[in-house]
């Protein structure tokens, strides 16, 4: 099937030649791992080091400040449980209700154990994203940590990071960032807008596999972090076998623990290499232009936006509200049968263009909607 109608970058992401490059990387791994020699660990760790170097290059940060995690939830768990208790115990952790649900599940479980009050800023009735002004109103001096979502997965709302970050700094809060729906498309915040720690996966516009994420933390916070999950890879020298002589590595390696999941990092290398070789501004411009075409299609079909009208407040996706008579699951199946790949969250159709999506794909989407919405 042609990929020109691929609007699924909010979930997986594709790039030209992905299947062949991923197959080659996994074949190389199989040959190395099955060889009857002892070269495996050195080669595996070289691949993991390249994975982390590509992430550091993408974010514009020091390699010593970043490590691999399996997913966003694990990354936030590592960061939060490693922080000194003064940041959380007896204080508030602030997050918006349109965060990734898995993160909220984690926080609700950690709150009683780490001794913080979880404050969830709600959506206003009938709205699709939490307003920045409501987050600011709830953000007082008792907030020890705030977790911001750079771009939401349900509305593609891009929050005003400079405004939110400045407010948090004035109140002495640490700021964590979920930049999953922005990674590979929007720049990682730098300078005054830089958070204290951040988490993402290599899925979506980075086009990587599941299980390959990254945790970044500013060095000043790494230096005093003591992650509760620790192991031989948390040390300066993983090959220290003296069980009475543990110490944390001085950099982000302290967030590692047991034997790392190297296979997912190796599987991500082709996609990260491809992305590093692209003109990121061109990729973003292509997505934004296709999104405007999708919005015009939505207007012609009377489908209200569940994303911001203002492109500067929107990420790489366009979400549309479906009419009440349309069954979301049936619509997605009908789109797929016509070469258009998308998904829904309840009555909201999620469409995300990327490197393989084309104007012809948008035309195919419109043709499909014309038929399916009339059914």
């Amino acid at each position: 099937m042609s990929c020109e109608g691929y609007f699924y970058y909010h979930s997986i992401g594709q790039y030209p030649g992905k299947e062949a490059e991923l197959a080659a990387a996994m074949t190389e791994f199989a040959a190395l791992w099955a060889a009857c020699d002892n070269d495996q660990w050195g080669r595996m760790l070289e691949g993991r080091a390249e994975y982390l170097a590509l992430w550091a290059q993408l974010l514009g940060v020091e390699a010593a400040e970043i490590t691999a995690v399996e997913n966003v939830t694990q990354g936030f768990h590592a960061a939060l449980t490693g922080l000194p208790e003064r940041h959380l115990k007896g204080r508030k952790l602030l997050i918006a209700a349109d965060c990734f649900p898995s993160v909220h599940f984690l926080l609700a479980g950690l709150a009683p154990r780490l001794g913080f009050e979880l404050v969830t800023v709600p959506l206003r009735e009938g709205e699709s994203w939490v307003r920045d002004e409501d987050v600011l109103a709830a953000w007082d001096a008792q907030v020890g940590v705030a977790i911001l979502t750079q771009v939401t997965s349900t509305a593609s709302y891009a929050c005003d990071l400079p405004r939110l970050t400045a407010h948090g700094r004035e109140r002495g809060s640490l700021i964590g960032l979920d930049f999953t729906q922005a990674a590979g498309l929007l720049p990682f915040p730098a300078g005054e807008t830089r958070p204290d720690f951040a988490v993402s996966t290599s899925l979506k516009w980075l086009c990587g596999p599941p299980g390959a994420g990254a945790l970044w933390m500013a060095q000043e916070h790494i230096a005093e972090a003591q992650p509760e999950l620790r192991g031989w890879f948390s040390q300066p020298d993983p090959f220290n076998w003296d069980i009475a002589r543990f110490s944390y590595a001085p950099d982000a390696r302290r967030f590692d623990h047991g034997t790392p999941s190297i296979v997912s990092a190796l599987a991500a290398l082709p996609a990260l290499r491809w992305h590093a070789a692209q003109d990121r501004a061109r990729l973003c411009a292509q997505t934004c232009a296709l999104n405007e075409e999708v919005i015009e299609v939505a207007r012609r079909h009377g489908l209200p936006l569940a994303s911001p009208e203002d492109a500067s407040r929107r990420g790489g996706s366009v979400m549309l509200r479906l009419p009440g008579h349309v069954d979301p699951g049936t619509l997605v199946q009908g789109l797929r049968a016509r070469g258009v790949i998308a998904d829904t969250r309840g009555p909201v159709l999620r469409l995300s263009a990327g490197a393989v999506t084309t104007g012809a794909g948008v035309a195919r989407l419109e043709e499909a909607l014309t038929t399916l919405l009339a059914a």
Side-chain angles (χ1 to χ4, degrees):
M1 179 185 292
S2 168
C3 285
E4 64 185 9
Y6 189 86
F7 293 91
Y8 202 46
Y9 280 84
H10 54 266
S11 183
I12 297 179
Q14 304 294 343
Y15 68 92
K18 178 178 179 178
E19 180 179 358
E21 291 190 1
L22 180 57
M26 292 297 90
T27 297
E28 182 181 359
F29 165 75
L32 176 62
W33 199 249
C36 293
D37 56 33
N38 60 356
D39 291 337
Q40 285 87 351
W41 285 115
R43 294 277 298 280
M44 294 298 97
L45 293 177
E46 286 176 5
R48 187 173 188 261
E50 182 185 357
Y51 171 81
L52 294 175
L54 286 166
W55 265 107
Q57 177 183 330
L58 174 70
L59 304 186
V61 301
E62 296 296 325
E65 296 177 333
I66 196 162
T67 193
V69 291
E70 184 176 345
N71 52 54
V72 169
T73 310
Q74 184 193 56
F76 277 122
H77 180 275
L80 293 171
T81 59
L83 291 175
E85 69 173 22
R86 70 176 185 275
H87 293 295
L88 286 169
K89 190 171 184 179
R91 303 189 70 183
K92 298 176 182 177
L93 189 151
L94 183 71
I95 194 166
D98 55 357
C99 65
F100 185 51
S102 185
V103 175
H104 201 273
F105 299 152
L106 169 71
L107 299 177
L110 288 179
R113 186 161 68 81
L114 299 185
F116 62 83
E117 176 190 352
L118 178 58
V119 177
T120 306
V121 184
L123 286 86
R124 297 189 186 187
E125 185 174 357
E127 298 193 353
S128 300
W129 60 88
V130 176
R131 296 190 185 190
D132 289 345
E133 54 262 40
D134 292 345
V135 174
L136 293 171
W139 197 333
D140 59 28
Q142 290 302 307
V143 173
V145 176
I147 293 181
L148 305 177
T149 304
Q150 188 168 356
V151 177
T152 68
S153 63
T154 49
S156 194
Y157 175 68
C159 66
D160 187 343
L161 279 175
R163 182 184 180 195
L164 292 168
T165 303
H167 181 92
R169 298 290 180 230
E170 291 175 357
R171 279 144 189 82
S173 308
L174 291 187
I175 299 170
L177 184 68
D178 180 349
F179 66 103
T180 304
Q181 293 287 344
L185 190 66
L186 303 181
F188 185 71
E192 294 297 321
T193 63
R194 193 179 79 161
D196 296 291
F197 59 94
V199 186
S200 179
T201 72
S202 61
L203 293 162
K204 310 178 197 303
W205 282 270
L206 286 175
C207 304
L215 163 64
W216 168 82
M217 183 175 281
Q219 182 58 49
E220 61 265 30
H221 301 304
I222 291 175
E224 58 179 6
Q226 295 194 10
E228 67 175 9
L229 183 59
R230 63 188 197 178
W232 67 310
F233 263 77
S234 310
Q235 305 177 102
D237 174 16
F239 297 96
N240 161 41
W241 299 114
D242 183 348
I243 63 173
R245 191 173 57 85
F246 174 85
S247 63
Y248 285 109
D251 50 30
R253 288 176 298 162
R254 68 175 54 199
F255 290 104
D256 295 339
H257 35 86
T259 304
S261 178
I262 297 178
V263 179
S264 56
L266 298 180
L269 284 179
L272 293 180
R273 290 167 181 159
W274 168 82
H275 190 274
Q278 304 307 303
D279 181 336
R280 297 179 190 172
R282 185 192 63 79
L283 286 177
C284 185
Q286 176 182 337
T287 293
C288 291
L290 290 169
N291 283 344
E292 293 301 326
E293 293 184 31
V294 169
I295 290 172
E296 289 303 315
V297 169
R299 288 174 177 150
R300 288 193 288 270
H301 287 79
L303 297 176
L305 279 179
S307 296
E309 290 270 1
D310 181 357
S312 69
R313 294 269 66 86
R314 195 172 61 237
S317 306
V318 173
M319 278 64 166
L320 308 176
R321 293 194 180 278
L322 298 172
H325 72 276
V326 173
D327 177 70
T330 301
L331 178 72
V332 168
Q333 292 174 8
L335 289 173
R336 176 170 175 163
R338 291 163 175 80
V340 176
I341 307 303
D343 73 359
T344 56
R345 284 292 180 269
V348 174
L349 176 64
R350 302 197 299 175
L351 298 161
S352 306
V356 301
T357 320
T358 67
V362 177
R364 185 181 297 178
L365 168 67
E366 178 156 31
E367 182 180 349
L369 287 175
T370 300
T371 301
L372 295 168
L373 294 177

